[in-house]
Amino acid sequence: QMPRGNLETVHHRALVLAQIRKWLDRDEDFTKTMYPSLYSTSNDQPRHQPEQKKVNLICDVMRAAMECIDPEKYCLSILTAHVKKNPPELETALQKVHDLRENISPHAAAVSAEEALKYLLFLVDVNELYDYSLGTYDFDLVVMVAEKSQKDPKEYLPFLNTLRKMETNYQRYTIDKHLKRYTKALGHLSKCGPEHFSEFLNLVKDQNLYCEALKLYSSNTQEYKDISSLYGEYLMEKQLYEQAALILARAGIFAKALDAFLNSGSWQQALCMASRLGYTKDKLSNLARSMAGKLVEQRKHAEAAMLLEQYTEDYEEAVVLLLEGAFWEEALRLIHKYDRLDILETNFKPAIVEDYEVPNCPEFDLLSETSSVVTPSDMSSRYSHSNSRISARSSKNRRKAERKRYSLKEGSPFEDMALLEVLGENVRAVDSVRGDVHVLLKQLVLFGFDEQAEGLQQVLEEVLQLMETSIPEIWTPALQQSSLNPVLGPNSTANSIMAAYQQKRMVAPAVQDPELLVAPKLNKNLQWKLHLFQ
Amino acid sequence: QMPRGNLETVHHRALVLAQIRKWLDRDEDFTKTMYPSLYSTSNDQPRHQPEQKKVNLICDVMRAAMECIDPEKYCLSILTAHVKKNPPELETALQKVHDLRENISPHAAAVSAEEALKYLLFLVDVNELYDYSLGTYDFDLVVMVAEKSQKDPKEYLPFLNTLRKMETNYQRYTIDKHLKRYTKALGHLSKCGPEHFSEFLNLVKDQNLYCEALKLYSSNTQEYKDISSLYGEYLMEKQLYEQAALILARAGIFAKALDAFLNSGSWQQALCMASRLGYTKDKLSNLARSMAGKLVEQRKHAEAAMLLEQYTEDYEEAVVLLLEGAFWEEALRLIHKYDRLDILETNFKPAIVEDYEVPNCPEFDLLSETSSVVTPSDMSSRYSHSNSRISARSSKNRRKAERKRYSLKEGSPFEDMALLEVLGENVRAVDSVRGDVHVLLKQLVLFGFDEQAEGLQQVLEEVLQLMETSIPEIWTPALQQSSLNPVLGPNSTANSIMAAYQQKRMVAPAVQDPELLVAPKLNKNLQWKLHLFQ
């Protein structure tokens, strides 16, 4: 044994060769692996695409050169070039071996088919090569590979004989299936006639090959319809109701399509299906009323009202829904269309006054807590009529659940970030409410509720002014710079890093959520105020 | 003359007193003026509100104390407390002077009315006090002030005599108008009866007092209607058509209101006015067709189609408009509602195929220029059906015109910021296009254009993947930190500041547009792809 300290200086030839081999084997882009940029490593996925291209390119170029100079002399190297590609071109290689046996070369130096096959077996696993030979559907080639391999003829010959007896397409389907090449198998099976169609459908279902199956039949065939029906069921199970409905509808399976469209909330398409199914007026009316109910649950009042007016002829209920959804002008249109001005007094005016009377909920905004001006508590959700109220609220909650990384609790590590987040949300909510308030103001004025309208305009104006003066106080230019001060970097010291660790601020939240540091922008162009109260 | 160097040490008594007087006179919040924070000065407007409050508070407290102890003794100081408020309470002060004359005090030390008035005239400009005395409508007081002043009786007595002869309300109106107190003048004039109403309307028009005028009459009066008519004309001149229409409509001036609603594009309200005016079916149909034309110009196809279907009974044209606006499902609904499946072949299918064939415009996105993947040129404007195409484009251009502070030209000072801006716009545009593409994909599949749909899904998928890998390469964490490196600050040196000046980077653009440094976020939750092509 040599002294330990000298071990590092020993370069045994075999070890050196092994190392060089490893290096030569490496197929890497040094700009990516040896000199990665400081910042891009964490984000970049390793890219195999260009590296594979490099190997394939070299294989192709080498092979072309060898085939040009002397294909017989370089026969084995050419086979190597095929095999080393990614994915390996085993079928082509096998075909060349096959050709060698067919056309025996007069050259003395020429490689025999047997030699070539032996060589291939040295490069490729025998079972893999056998499978590939099967995949050429060329039984001569299969036998040749099998013979050269260590395979037992009792094992493969009966299988080959069974295959030989089959009709060509069914034979190929059987081979494809054996090789798990299901798409090819499907193609061959589709040519085997109607007696094999149930087998076809089973394969489609087992292997989820709906799209591939549909491509094999013309859309006016019964087979296309059957596949579509199966695909529709599958998509329904996956809860992809609308896509199921589309697949069913285009195959003419209208009843199932109607159900699927109902499930997906596609009420217009559901009406189309009802029409295709020849629904009577009564049946259509019932369908419309049921869909309107669902739409109201989703706070889609305008659509629901349209269904009730046009398909059930219940314009009164339609007006009620429009008022519930704060579609004031559409409600007015129906009231006048049916000449029912009495509804103005009984429903319309009470509705706009009710909408004006913003509920005094116990939950107050942060903005109103930190200031003397009381922000109408949930103004934004109350007035966000453009979206449905319920869905707007639930999606908002979901978003909050997703994003609330920082705790508002006093003294929590990122209390400042939490405050920025909530304040930003509030500012944006109040800013976006102006459009809805403008619409309500107009209705209040139209029906003479000037006092209420003036009050509403004034409250919102005050809140907006408060926000405008508060924004530069909250989002100071200093905020951006100080919070972005990196923990590591040329200006950091051992002490500053330790301090950062102790504050658990190692991952600067500013870098995680840079948008929290950007002041929300108010849309100053929106003319929401009425001249009457200015 | 003293030697120059000693001048600074001289404190002449008069100068010192003058300086102290100045200091005492100051009414400032030292936290705002002497110790302004480093960052808030540039943004904060000077705040007069709290300072005024301070003076007013002290005046009120002092006055209350003096009135409690001995109002007669402190009479002049009490007057001072009234006058020094902001705004000065001159009427109250004058009233006290007046009271002094009415109730002569038995006290020897009591101040006489004459003394008090003299004192007031010392504090307040005589003309101002005269105007205020006029404003009390108390002619005794007026004469008293006039007498104590240097005013010529030949000047004021004829005017006072004319006033004395007038009916009370008209007299007060005349005084208010003389004092330019137009709102008060309007109130008194409104009580002078119908013979003065044209004078009333003239004053309203001259002084833009429409809102104040409307408050003086009940909404069912002819006067209210006349004021509304005048206000409507004024708002029309100001191009506030919708507000004009609302004012006219609520006063029952329906024909003018209809015109104004038409001008503002409020088609539903216009229909309501037509109903109020008792339009015949034919007249209503013509109105609807004309409004539909305007709506199409604004690319509001859904509304236009609704008008044609429901008010002109031209559902064929309605379908054509819906297809033009890419409202596929609504078009299908009408086609089925009227059982005109032939339109599917003649119009529907050609329309979806046309919409699929995105024009190959010469203008390419920056993204496509810098990469090998061709982004469908103006995908976003093409597919942004949710807004109108024209308005979306023009508003986009307007926004660009507003914001393009940085030039994309190679080598321009903020080329990097310009690139970030344009790349961000492109990413957001492509990201937002997915919803529209999803809607089109469904129609293509429904009508069997699977090949086109698959191609479209694939192209968008590739662009989105390119964007996803490009975003962390464009918006690196380093970008935020390096660009935010302040020119000034604790780490700056004379050299670094000079260098920044020479680069014309003194105002760091990062601080001006911090949102450009924040990577756009892709909405990964949107399921836009169809299962059929996955």
Side-chain angles (χ1 to χ4, degrees):
Chain A
Q1 202 185 349
M2 294 174 76
R4 218 188 160 282
N6 287 350
L7 199 64
E8 284 82 358
T9 64
V10 173
H11 297 282
H12 190 277
R13 189 168 169 270
L15 290 175
V16 169
L17 283 178
Q19 186 56 44
I20 288 173
R21 213 192 115 113
K22 253 192 222 163
W23 283 340
L24 288 174
D25 227 24
R26 270 161 81 168
D27 179 34
E28 66 176 16
D29 184 344
F30 287 99
T31 64
K32 295 267 152 54
T33 53
M34 282 186 69
Y35 312 108
S37 103
L38 266 168
Y39 297 103
S40 57
T41 39
S42 58
N43 290 314
D44 278 15
Q45 282 90 28
R47 300 189 170 183
H48 291 299
Q49 218 58 38
E51 294 169 13
Q52 284 174 6
K53 272 186 191 161
K54 202 165 113 180
V55 172
N56 287 356
L57 186 74
I58 291 170
C59 284
D60 286 342
V61 170
M62 293 286 284
R63 186 172 50 74
M66 293 186 287
E67 279 172 348
C68 181
I69 299 166
D70 189 342
E72 293 191 349
K73 180 178 173 192
Y74 296 116
C75 176
L76 297 184
S77 300
I78 288 168
L79 289 180
T80 312
H82 281 300
V83 170
K84 281 291 171 189
K85 281 189 75 173
N86 189 339
E89 296 170 348
L90 294 185
E91 284 175 40
T92 320
L94 276 170
Q95 197 56 49
K96 290 209 167 154
V97 173
H98 190 244
D99 292 349
L100 285 177
R101 198 161 65 169
E102 303 277 294
N103 321 305
I104 293 162
S105 169
H107 282 246
V111 176
S112 73
E114 302 221 344
E115 281 173 311
L117 191 57
K118 255 190 188 162
Y119 181 74
L120 264 189
L121 285 168
F122 170 73
L123 290 177
V124 190
D125 175 73
V126 64
N127 290 316
E128 200 182 341
L129 205 62
Y130 175 75
D131 283 349
Y132 268 92
S133 68
L134 254 182
T136 64
Y137 317 118
D138 179 341
F139 288 91
D140 293 348
L141 198 63
V142 177
V143 172
M144 204 179 109
V145 173
E147 279 171 352
K148 289 296 152 197
S149 77
Q150 308 289 320
K151 279 188 179 275
D152 182 357
K154 279 177 203 151
E155 224 181 78
Y156 63 84
L157 278 180
F159 177 59
L160 290 183
N161 285 332
T162 318
L163 284 175
R164 269 192 231 266
K165 282 176 208 151
M166 290 175 178
E167 181 270 328
T168 311
N169 280 312
Y170 198 77
Q171 178 195 77
R172 295 189 167 187
Y173 150 69
T174 311
I175 291 172
D176 293 334
K177 206 179 156 191
H178 175 79
L179 297 177
K180 298 192 165 58
R181 303 193 305 198
Y182 296 110
T183 304
K184 270 195 173 174
L186 210 60
H188 287 126
L189 188 52
S190 75
K191 292 173 191 158
C192 297
E195 67 270 25
H196 290 290
F197 189 63
S198 66
E199 197 174 349
F200 179 92
L201 286 183
N202 283 335
L203 184 62
V204 168
K205 206 172 169 180
D206 286 349
Q207 302 299 330
N208 280 345
L209 292 169
Y210 304 100
C211 322
E212 293 79 358
L214 285 173
K215 283 179 183 156
L216 298 171
Y217 292 95
S218 163
S219 62
N220 51 8
T221 60
Q222 181 60 38
E223 285 87 353
Y224 187 88
K225 201 166 175 173
D226 291 347
I227 301 165
S228 295
S229 178
L230 215 60
Y231 191 18
E233 279 170 26
Y234 170 79
L235 290 170
M236 293 283 276
E237 276 168 28
K238 293 254 165 194
Q239 295 185 300
L240 296 168
Y241 300 116
E242 190 178 14
Q243 294 187 44
L246 294 169
I247 295 293
L248 293 166
R250 69 183 197 164
I253 311 167
F254 296 126
K256 276 192 184 179
L258 172 52
D259 276 349
F261 276 129
L262 282 180
N263 266 312
S264 71
S266 310
W267 57 274
Q268 289 146 313
Q269 294 277 28
L271 290 173
C272 295
M273 294 303 105
S275 159
R276 295 282 189 138
L277 290 164
Y279 268 33
T280 60
K281 208 176 170 186
D282 263 12
K283 227 175 154 186
L284 200 61
S285 168
N286 286 339
L287 176 69
R289 190 170 287 279
S290 135
M291 291 195 297
K294 279 191 195 166
L295 287 170
V296 169
E297 279 172 24
Q298 298 162 36
R299 323 260 339 143
K300 295 182 178 170
H301 292 86
E303 288 93 334
M306 200 276 253
L307 280 171
L308 289 183
E309 188 218 343
Q310 293 192 30
Y311 291 87
T312 75
E313 286 165 24
D314 184 353
Y315 68 83
E316 288 191 4
E317 182 65 16
V319 170
V320 169
L321 291 185
L322 289 171
L323 294 178
E324 213 177 307
F327 293 97
W328 313 118
E329 299 197 335
E330 192 64 7
L332 285 177
R333 186 179 69 81
L334 289 195
I335 288 170
H336 285 81
K337 185 180 176 188
Y338 294 97
D339 210 12
R340 283 288 305 277
L341 299 189
D342 58 304
I343 300 178
L344 291 179
E345 295 300 328
T346 57
N347 295 70
F348 191 91
K349 288 188 187 178
I352 56 171
V353 171
E354 193 200 338
D355 204 56
Y356 155 76
E357 285 162 354
V358 174
N360 287 315
C361 293
E363 34 158 349
F364 284 94
D365 278 344
L366 196 69
L367 252 179
S368 63
E369 272 173 36
T370 56
S371 76
S372 58
V373 176
V374 174
T375 315
S377 58
D378 55 351
M379 239 186 179
S380 74
S381 64
R382 174 78 183 154
Y383 286 115
S384 62
H385 295 305
S386 39
N387 294 317
S388 59
R389 294 187 204 174
I390 282 178
S391 76
R393 188 171 295 203
S394 68
S395 75
K396 195 183 165 195
N397 288 344
R398 205 182 318 120
R399 185 167 55 80
K400 276 192 181 173
E402 276 170 22
R403 295 198 46 219
K404 282 282 177 288
R405 255 169 299 193
Y406 311 118
S407 165
L408 268 176
K409 232 172 90 180
E410 227 177 297
S412 70
F414 298 122
E415 187 190 347
D416 52 349
M417 297 302 287
L419 280 164
L420 286 177
E421 187 171 10
V422 176
L423 286 167
E425 276 171 13
N426 281 319
V427 168
R428 269 179 279 264
V430 173
D431 190 52
S432 70
V433 105
R434 287 180 301 175
D436 291 317
V437 168
H438 176 65
V439 171
L440 180 59
L441 283 175
K442 288 188 293 190
Q443 299 309 321
L444 287 171
V445 164
L446 181 57
F447 289 94
F449 299 103
D450 291 22
E451 207 179 302
Q452 287 91 332
E454 187 163 13
L456 180 57
Q457 177 161 322
Q458 205 178 322
V459 167
L460 184 55
E461 174 69 4
E462 279 170 14
V463 176
L464 286 169
Q465 271 172 5
L466 173 66
M467 279 178 10
E468 211 172 320
T469 54
S470 303
I471 284 174
E473 289 172 13
I474 300 169
W475 286 271
T476 58
L479 174 74
Q480 289 222 356
Q481 289 177 2
S482 68
S483 298
L484 274 175
N485 213 11
V487 171
L488 302 173
N491 299 322
S492 62
T493 63
N495 284 343
S496 77
I497 295 169
M498 269 312 292
Y501 263 114
Q502 281 160 4
Q503 287 174 42
K504 294 181 184 169
R505 280 225 177 230
M506 198 54 202
V507 180
V511 176
Q512 278 179 41
D513 282 322
E515 75 274 13
L516 293 184
L517 303 178
V518 178
K521 288 209 169 162
L522 298 181
N523 178 11
K524 287 184 188 163
N525 291 328
L526 189 73
Q527 303 285 324
W528 66 275
K529 284 184 280 186
L530 296 191
H531 181 273
L532 190 58
F533 310 122
Q534 276 179 320
Chain B
Q1 201 185 350
M2 294 174 73
R4 215 185 162 282
N6 286 352
L7 198 63
E8 284 82 356
T9 63
V10 172
H11 297 283
H12 189 276
R13 189 169 169 269
L15 288 176
V16 169
L17 281 179
Q19 185 57 44
I20 287 173
R21 211 192 118 114
K22 251 189 221 164
W23 283 338
L24 287 174
D25 225 26
R26 267 158 85 168
D27 179 36
E28 69 176 15
D29 182 347
F30 286 100
T31 64
K32 293 269 154 53
T33 53
M34 280 187 70
Y35 311 109
S37 104
L38 266 166
Y39 297 104
S40 58
T41 39
S42 57
N43 290 315
D44 279 16
Q45 282 91 26
R47 298 187 173 187
H48 291 297
Q49 216 59 38
E51 295 168 13
Q52 285 175 5
K53 272 184 190 159
K54 204 165 110 182
V55 171
N56 286 354
L57 186 73
I58 291 171
C59 284
D60 285 343
V61 170
M62 293 286 285
R63 185 172 48 75
M66 292 186 288
E67 279 171 349
C68 182
I69 299 167
D70 188 344
E72 292 193 349
K73 180 177 175 193
Y74 296 117
C75 176
L76 295 184
S77 299
I78 288 169
L79 288 180
T80 311
H82 282 301
V83 169
K84 280 292 171 187
K85 281 187 77 173
N86 188 341
E89 296 170 350
L90 294 186
E91 284 175 40
T92 320
L94 277 169
Q95 196 56 50
K96 291 208 167 156
V97 173
H98 189 244
D99 292 351
L100 285 177
R101 196 160 65 170
E102 302 278 294
N103 320 306
I104 293 160
S105 168
H107 281 247
V111 176
S112 73
E114 302 221 344
E115 281 173 312
L117 191 57
K118 254 188 188 164
Y119 181 72
L120 265 187
L121 284 168
F122 170 73
L123 290 175
V124 189
D125 175 74
V126 65
N127 289 316
E128 200 181 341
L129 206 62
Y130 176 75
D131 283 350
Y132 269 90
S133 68
L134 252 182
T136 63
Y137 317 118
D138 178 341
F139 287 92
D140 292 348
L141 198 62
V142 176
V143 171
M144 204 178 112
V145 172
E147 279 171 353
K148 289 295 151 199
S149 77
Q150 308 291 322
K151 278 187 179 278
D152 181 358
K154 279 179 204 150
E155 224 177 81
Y156 62 82
L157 278 180
F159 177 58
L160 290 182
N161 286 333
T162 317
L163 285 174
R164 271 192 231 264
K165 283 175 209 153
M166 290 177 180
E167 181 270 329
T168 309
N169 281 313
Y170 199 78
Q171 178 195 76
R172 295 189 168 188
Y173 151 70
T174 310
I175 291 172
D176 293 333
K177 207 179 155 191
H178 176 79
L179 296 177
K180 296 193 164 62
R181 303 193 304 197
Y182 296 110
T183 304
K184 271 196 174 172
L186 211 60
H188 287 125
L189 187 52
S190 74
K191 293 173 189 157
C192 298
E195 67 270 26
H196 289 290
F197 189 63
S198 66
E199 196 173 351
F200 180 91
L201 285 182
N202 283 335
L203 183 61
V204 168
K205 206 172 167 181
D206 285 349
Q207 301 298 331
N208 281 344
L209 292 171
Y210 304 100
C211 323
E212 293 80 359
L214 285 173
K215 283 179 184 157
L216 297 171
Y217 291 95
S218 166
S219 61
N220 51 8
T221 58
Q222 182 60 38
E223 285 86 354
Y224 188 88
K225 201 166 174 171
D226 291 347
I227 299 164
S228 295
S229 179
L230 213 59
Y231 190 19
E233 277 169 29
Y234 170 79
L235 290 170
M236 293 284 275
E237 275 167 29
K238 291 254 165 195
Q239 294 186 300
L240 296 169
Y241 300 114
E242 192 178 11
Q243 294 187 45
L246 294 170
I247 295 294
L248 293 167
R250 68 182 196 166
I253 311 167
F254 297 126
K256 274 192 185 179
L258 173 52
D259 276 348
F261 276 130
L262 281 179
N263 266 312
S264 71
S266 310
W267 56 275
Q268 288 146 313
Q269 295 276 28
L271 289 173
C272 294
M273 295 302 106
S275 158
R276 295 282 189 136
L277 290 164
Y279 268 34
T280 61
K281 208 176 169 186
D282 264 12
K283 225 176 157 188
L284 199 61
S285 168
N286 286 338
L287 176 68
R289 190 171 287 280
S290 136
M291 291 195 297
K294 279 191 194 164
L295 287 169
V296 168
E297 280 171 25
Q298 298 163 34
R299 321 261 339 144
K300 295 183 179 170
H301 292 86
E303 288 91 334
M306 200 276 251
L307 280 171
L308 290 183
E309 189 219 344
Q310 293 192 30
Y311 291 86
T312 75
E313 286 164 25
D314 184 353
Y315 68 84
E316 288 190 6
E317 183 64 16
V319 170
V320 169
L321 291 184
L322 289 171
L323 293 178
E324 213 177 306
F327 292 96
W328 313 118
E329 300 197 334
E330 191 65 5
L332 285 177
R333 185 179 70 81
L334 287 194
I335 289 170
H336 284 82
K337 184 179 177 189
Y338 294 98
D339 210 13
R340 283 287 305 276
L341 299 189
D342 58 303
I343 300 179
L344 291 178
E345 295 301 326
T346 56
N347 295 71
F348 192 92
K349 288 188 189 179
I352 56 170
V353 170
E354 193 201 335
D355 203 56
Y356 155 76
E357 285 162 355
V358 175
N360 288 314
C361 292
E363 35 159 351
F364 284 92
D365 278 344
L366 196 69
L367 252 180
S368 63
E369 271 173 36
T370 55
S371 75
S372 56
V373 177
V374 173
T375 315
S377 56
D378 56 348
M379 242 186 176
S380 73
S381 64
R382 176 76 183 154
Y383 286 114
S384 62
H385 295 305
S386 38
N387 292 319
S388 60
R389 293 187 203 175
I390 282 178
S391 75
R393 188 170 295 202
S394 66
S395 75
K396 196 182 164 193
N397 288 344
R398 206 181 318 122
R399 186 167 54 83
K400 276 191 181 171
E402 276 171 21
R403 294 197 47 216
K404 283 279 177 289
R405 255 170 297 195
Y406 311 119
S407 164
L408 266 176
K409 233 173 90 180
E410 228 176 295
S412 70
F414 298 121
E415 189 190 347
D416 51 349
M417 297 303 287
L419 279 164
L420 286 178
E421 187 171 11
V422 176
L423 285 166
E425 276 172 12
N426 280 318
V427 167
R428 271 178 277 263
V430 174
D431 190 53
S432 71
V433 105
R434 288 180 301 174
D436 291 317
V437 168
H438 176 66
V439 172
L440 179 59
L441 283 175
K442 288 188 293 190
Q443 299 309 320
L444 287 170
V445 163
L446 181 58
F447 289 95
F449 299 104
D450 290 23
E451 210 178 300
Q452 287 89 333
E454 188 164 12
L456 179 57
Q457 176 161 323
Q458 206 177 321
V459 167
L460 184 54
E461 173 69 3
E462 280 169 14
V463 177
L464 286 170
Q465 271 172 5
L466 172 67
M467 279 177 12
E468 211 172 320
T469 55
S470 303
I471 284 174
E473 289 172 13
I474 299 168
W475 287 272
T476 59
L479 174 73
Q480 290 222 355
Q481 289 176 3
S482 69
S483 299
L484 274 175
N485 214 10
V487 170
L488 302 173
N491 298 320
S492 63
T493 63
N495 284 342
S496 76
I497 296 169
M498 269 312 292
Y501 263 114
Q502 279 160 5
Q503 288 174 44
K504 295 182 183 166
R505 279 222 177 234
M506 200 53 204
V507 180
V511 177
Q512 277 182 40
D513 282 322
E515 74 274 14
L516 293 184
L517 303 178
V518 178
K521 286 206 171 165
L522 298 181
N523 177 10
K524 285 182 188 163
N525 291 329
L526 188 73
Q527 302 284 324
W528 66 274
K529 283 184 281 185
L530 295 190
H531 181 274
L532 190 59
F533 311 123
Q534 277 180 318

